[in-house]
Amino acid sequence: MVTHESNARELLGERVRIRPWRRADTLIQERWPRYSEPFSSLWNIPRPYQPGQDDQDWTGATEAWAVELRSGSLIGRISLREIDRRRQSARLGISLAQPYVGQGLGGESLRLFLSYYFGALGYQRMVLDVAAFNRRAVRCYQRLGFVSIGSEWRPVGNEPALRLLDDEQYQHLRSYFRRNPFNAHVEFYEMELTREAWLAAGGGLIE
């Protein structure tokens, strides 16, 4: 059974601390430097979701946690949306400030949060969607035990970053895009991790 009585808890990892998101954190997040990766503007294309007749326990509310260094600097945000109380499932969102990407902090934060998610919060399943060309993120999720359960193509309009695909150094990314003279789409993976799989892989629980 999903409970949220422990939302006020602070989770401590080797390098990071996770705590509930505060209003003041939003102002800090807005001042984070822009990502330097050339295709970063395509990482978070919205995934439309319309609950069906069987989704009466689904809620559009979002719950969020801040990721800090142990020194206190805010470096990231973890969120849950599409929360389904009956199915004990939710969709993950995570973002890290540009200076902290590629240092293993995202993986450490998620390992800590997943132990809490499947433990004290009582969830049985987590899903996420990730841009297929964002190989670093895909590998991180795979190391945590997430498996691909499908994919979809999302329209990207006339995003300027698409012009970079004509450069030979980005040819390895072209298979993740579909382009014609009128529109373009980018592939997103749908991934899943269950509590059973998390425990089978040696993941811990924070009760």
Side-chain angles (χ1 to χ4, degrees):
M1 179 178 182
V2 175
T3 63
H4 298 277
E5 300 172 357
S6 301
N7 274 0
R9 283 183 62 175
E10 183 178 89
L11 311 177
L12 293 177
E14 182 179 347
R15 294 181 293 170
V16 300
R17 174 189 295 111
I18 296 176
R19 58 163 176 78
W21 188 262
R22 303 168 187 153
R23 181 177 299 179
D25 295 328
T26 301
L27 298 177
I28 297 173
Q29 183 183 30
E30 290 173 351
R31 294 196 293 268
W32 286 350
R34 297 175 65 87
Y35 290 104
S36 58
E37 284 84 350
F39 293 95
S40 60
S41 59
L42 303 176
W43 283 346
N44 298 307
I45 299 172
R47 172 185 179 272
Y49 181 81
Q50 295 295 330
Q53 293 181 345
D54 296 331
D55 293 337
Q56 64 269 22
D57 295 309
W58 177 88
T59 172
T62 299
E63 298 179 2
W65 290 261
V67 180
E68 296 179 330
L69 294 178
R70 292 289 292 263
S71 62
S73 300
L74 179 70
I75 67 166
R77 183 178 189 268
I78 292 174
S79 65
L80 298 178
R81 64 188 191 280
E82 296 180 20
I83 298 169
D84 189 318
R85 312 297 187 191
R86 180 169 61 86
R87 296 185 178 92
Q88 301 177 33
S89 173
R91 181 169 297 274
L92 172 73
I94 181 171
S95 59
L96 285 185
Q98 166 66 26
Y100 305 98
V101 172
Q103 301 178 34
L105 292 165
E108 178 182 339
S109 300
L110 284 177
R111 279 191 295 273
L112 182 62
F113 184 75
L114 286 166
S115 294
Y116 180 53
Y117 178 86
F118 289 125
L121 293 185
Y123 286 95
Q124 296 295 316
R125 176 177 179 262
M126 177 181 279
V127 294
L128 61 84
D129 49 286
V130 57
F133 69 86
N134 189 355
R135 301 305 303 163
R136 179 173 55 207
V138 172
R139 287 192 295 268
C140 175
Y141 296 136
Q142 290 173 334
R143 285 194 294 268
L144 291 166
F146 282 88
V147 295
S148 178
I149 56 174
S151 69
E152 66 177 0
W153 294 86
R154 300 183 189 174
V156 296
N158 295 316
E159 174 60 47
L162 294 174
R163 300 170 189 165
L164 295 173
L165 292 173
D166 296 324
D167 192 314
E168 286 303 310
Q169 68 174 311
Y170 298 116
Q171 63 177 335
H172 62 291
L173 299 180
R174 292 174 187 168
S175 63
Y176 303 116
F177 294 84
R178 291 177 177 172
R179 295 185 294 167
N180 62 45
F182 307 103
N183 57 43
H185 292 75
V186 61
E187 186 177 17
F188 272 73
Y189 293 146
E190 179 80 354
M191 304 187 80
E192 173 189 74
L193 177 64
T194 64
R195 185 178 189 272
E196 181 180 12
W198 173 252
L199 293 175
L205 296 179
I206 298 175
E207 301 290 353

